[in-house]
Amino acid sequence: SQKIEQNSEALNIQEGKTATLTCNYTNYSPAYLQWYRQDPGRGPVFLLLIRENEKEKRKERLKVTFDTTLKQSLFHITASQPADSATYLCALPERLDMRFGAGTRLTVKP
Amino acid sequence: DADVTQTPRNRITKTGKRIMLECSQTKGHDRMYWYRQDPGLGLRLIYYSFDVKDINKGEISDGYSVSRQAQAKFSLSLESAIPNQTALYFCATSDLDEGLAGGAETQYFGPGTRLLVL
């Protein structure tokens, strides 16, 4: 089954900087990949979906890339704000369900 | 009102007890899921259901059972709770976007149930 690795458990950055989170997978390249945001004590919330034939997807201050050669997706938050502090999960479809990474906890310091 | 609700939100129980976690959704989705989340392990799928007559085991189904009472309701049972089932449990629903070849689904999660088994 697919193994999903997110670069680190925690990432600390200064407000205004760009946060870059990494999601690597090990097996076949999926038809699409998703990113979710999870706040403490709450369920994950869908942010973005990128398809295998898309190199980049943007939504406001968020940008996602998908490199099927590297088997990697990068998730960027530009002009980061303390309100962006949360855990970010990547997810891939596998057979009939979705597999989630363990997440990266982002802290944006004022 | 929230689209996906879970009850209870918190539960403390003792080893050996049977407990049920309930999930209701108003999104009209056919697909429903139960996950558990543990620190460092992320979300792991317990069971999923694609319609009322369909039940499928996920990655970690041992020790759990489910019931899909209606399109909107999907309950998770721990027949005999044990301490290593202490975790955060999430219910989710999804709908298939037929516009993407092979389909693409976005999952919508409930607020979670924090379970402690003593």
Side-chain angles (χ1 to χ4, degrees):
Chain A
S1 63
Q2 194 78 271
K3 185 176 179 183
I4 302 171
E5 296 177 347
Q6 295 193 240
N7 57 326
S8 59
E9 279 194 26
L11 179 65
N12 298 314
I13 65 167
Q14 206 65 35
E15 182 176 8
K17 301 292 185 184
T18 295
T20 298
L21 285 64
T22 304
C23 176
N24 294 292
Y25 55 92
T26 56
N27 296 341
Y28 60 88
S29 281
Y32 61 92
L33 182 148
Q34 297 176 334
W35 285 88
Y36 289 75
R37 168 182 173 141
Q38 185 175 21
D39 291 289
R42 303 177 81 92
V45 175
F46 171 76
L47 294 175
L48 280 168
L49 178 152
I50 185 166
R51 297 174 173 83
E52 63 178 336
N53 61 350
E54 296 177 318
K55 296 297 183 186
E56 181 179 297
K57 196 82 167 278
R58 291 178 185 260
K59 179 182 177 182
E60 298 172 353
R61 293 183 296 109
L62 309 181
K63 184 179 83 170
V64 173
T65 64
F66 193 6
D67 189 326
T68 56
T69 301
L70 294 178
K71 297 188 177 181
Q72 180 181 83
S73 174
L74 299 179
F75 177 81
H76 307 271
I77 305 175
T78 58
S80 61
Q81 304 166 1
D84 295 326
S85 298
T87 296
Y88 293 87
L89 313 174
C90 67
L92 312 176
E94 176 155 293
R95 292 191 291 273
L96 299 178
D97 57 71
M98 296 292 291
R99 290 299 169 102
F100 288 81
T104 296
R105 187 174 67 252
L106 173 67
T107 301
V108 181
K109 299 183 178 180
Chain B
D1 287 340
D3 294 322
V4 184
T5 58
Q6 292 183 234
T7 55
R9 294 294 313 279
N10 294 280
R11 178 75 182 267
I12 300 174
T13 192
K14 295 182 178 180
T15 297
K17 294 291 187 181
R18 182 181 188 275
I19 67 162
M20 180 182 291
L21 309 182
E22 299 189 2
C23 177
S24 293
Q25 53 113 347
T26 58
K27 299 190 75 67
H29 290 167
D30 288 326
R31 299 182 171 205
M32 297 188 74
Y33 307 80
W34 274 105
Y35 294 90
R36 66 176 280 176
Q37 188 174 43
D38 301 273
L41 294 179
L43 288 162
R44 291 184 291 166
L45 184 64
I46 305 172
Y47 271 95
Y48 61 102
S49 168
F50 283 176
D51 66 41
V52 175
K53 298 179 181 178
D54 177 71
I55 300 290
N56 303 282
K57 293 183 177 181
E59 187 183 352
I60 52 163
S61 59
D62 288 349
Y64 302 94
S65 63
V66 291
S67 173
R68 184 81 185 267
Q69 302 96 322
Q71 187 204 37
K73 296 185 181 297
F74 193 35
S75 59
L76 175 72
S77 294
L78 285 66
E79 298 300 328
S80 179
I82 56 177
N84 77 358
Q85 291 179 312
T86 293
L88 189 53
Y89 289 84
F90 288 104
C91 173
T93 74
S94 73
D95 207 359
L96 199 60
D97 176 1
E98 300 286 357
L100 177 68
E105 58 174 283
T106 297
Q107 300 211 346
Y108 299 87
F109 287 83
T113 295
R114 191 171 297 278
L115 175 66
L116 173 61
V117 183
L118 300 174

